[in-house]
Amino acid sequence: DAKTTQPNSMESNEEEPVHLPCNHSTISGTDYIHWYRQLPSQGPEYVIHGLTSNVNNRMASLAIAEDRKSSTLILHRATLRDAAVYYCILRVGGSEKLVFGKGTKLTVNP
Amino acid sequence: SAVISQKPSRDICQRGTSLTIQCQVDSQVTMMFWYRQQPGQSLTLIATANQGSEATYESGFVIDKFPISRPNLTFSTLTVSNMSPEDSSIYLCSVDRTGSDYGYTFGSGTRLTVV
C-alpha cells in the first residue's frame, strides 16, 4: 500500500493559517491524495482531495508539489474546532480503499 | 454526501460472545468498508464489502473472526466473533459515493469493550 509520512503533531494559534505537510515520495501517476480529519470521539471526516492541481474548497486548500511527492493541507484561519488528527492518504489508482497512516495531531491554542 | 447510521454506538460484551454491528446508508453504494481503530491508534482496514459477493479481507483479518454480510446496496453488517479483550476497539463503516466530490463518508463508529 502507498505510504505517506506526516509529523506526529503540530500546534497553531487560533485565527492563524496552518500548513500541514505530507510526504508521499512513492506516489504513482494515478494515485489521488486525500485528506481526512478525525475530531475527538467521531469518525473521520473528508476534507479535500486532489490529483495534480491545487484544490480549494470551503474547508481548506490543498497544495500539491510539482513532482507530486509532497503536499500541504492549508487551513486558512484555524479555529478551536479544527483541533483534530489530520490524515494524509494516497488512494491508489484503480483501488477503492483508503489506507490510513498515523496522521498529525493538530492542537489549536486560543 | 452520504449519511451513515451505525448501530450500536457502544456495547460492553463478555469474552467468548459475538457482536453484530449494523451499517445503514441513506443511498445505494457499490462498496462498503469496515475499519477498526484500537485505542489511541489510527484506523486499520478490515475488509471491503460488495453487494452479492464475499467480502475481501485485508492481511491479518479472517472471515471466521469478522464475518461480513452485504445483502443489498444500502446495508452491511460486521460480526466480531468469539471476542476477547484484545477486540476492544472502535469499529467504523465507510462508503464511497461513486462520482461524488465529497470523498468517503464514515459512520460515527461502534465503541466495543470486551470484559
Side-chain angles (χ1 to χ4, degrees):
Chain A
D1 294 317
K3 300 287 187 200
T4 61
T5 304
Q6 300 176 253
N8 290 333
S9 62
M10 291 184 65
E11 276 196 46
S12 173
N13 295 320
E14 202 175 7
E15 299 189 5
E16 290 184 356
V18 182
H19 291 234
L20 296 164
C22 181
N23 288 321
H24 28 78
S25 58
T26 60
I27 192 170
S28 64
T30 56
D31 295 347
Y32 280 81
I33 302 161
H34 279 239
W35 283 83
Y36 287 76
R37 71 180 185 182
Q38 187 173 24
L39 280 67
S41 301
Q42 295 188 27
E45 173 188 30
Y46 168 79
V47 177
I48 201 166
H49 76 282
L51 183 61
T52 56
S53 303
N54 295 342
V55 184
N56 300 296
N57 65 22
R58 63 176 180 82
M59 287 184 70
S61 296
L62 176 60
I64 301 173
E66 194 169 334
D67 64 4
R68 301 187 70 234
K69 294 188 176 182
S70 65
S71 61
T72 302
L73 179 70
I74 303 165
L75 307 179
H76 295 285
R77 240 180 121 198
T79 70
L80 296 178
R81 290 191 298 270
D82 291 323
V85 178
Y86 286 78
Y87 296 100
C88 170
I89 302 165
L90 293 187
R91 179 179 162 185
V92 175
S95 169
E96 299 293 332
K97 62 185 183 181
L98 295 179
V99 178
F100 283 72
K102 297 186 186 302
T104 297
K105 183 176 182 178
L106 176 66
T107 301
V108 180
N109 301 311
Chain B
S1 59
V3 175
I4 297 177
S5 173
Q6 193 172 331
K7 294 180 181 179
S9 59
R10 59 178 62 228
D11 207 341
I12 301 173
C13 300
Q14 296 292 322
R15 67 174 66 202
T17 63
S18 298
L19 175 71
T20 295
I21 301 167
Q22 299 179 1
C23 182
Q24 177 76 52
V25 190
D26 68 342
S27 58
Q28 294 183 342
V29 293
T30 304
M31 291 189 172
M32 297 179 76
F33 305 89
W34 287 98
Y35 288 85
R36 179 177 73 183
Q37 187 169 29
Q38 294 175 301
Q41 303 296 313
S42 180
L43 284 76
T44 301
L45 181 64
I46 297 173
T48 303
N50 283 337
Q51 192 263 337
S53 63
E54 274 199 14
T56 302
Y57 289 82
E58 297 297 307
S59 175
F61 297 95
V62 295
I63 188 171
D64 289 345
K65 176 68 177 178
F66 297 102
I68 289 171
S69 78
R70 182 78 200 275
N72 57 52
L73 291 173
T74 63
F75 187 78
S76 178
T77 66
L78 169 75
T79 299
V80 186
S81 303
N82 188 24
M83 289 184 285
S84 67
E86 291 70 35
D87 294 319
S88 298
S89 293
I90 298 173
Y91 293 86
L92 302 103
C93 67
S94 174
V95 301
D96 171 31
R97 291 190 58 191
T98 304
S100 165
D101 285 336
Y102 297 100
Y104 290 66
T105 302
F106 287 79
S108 55
T110 296
R111 184 179 294 271
L112 170 62
T113 302
V114 183
V115 297

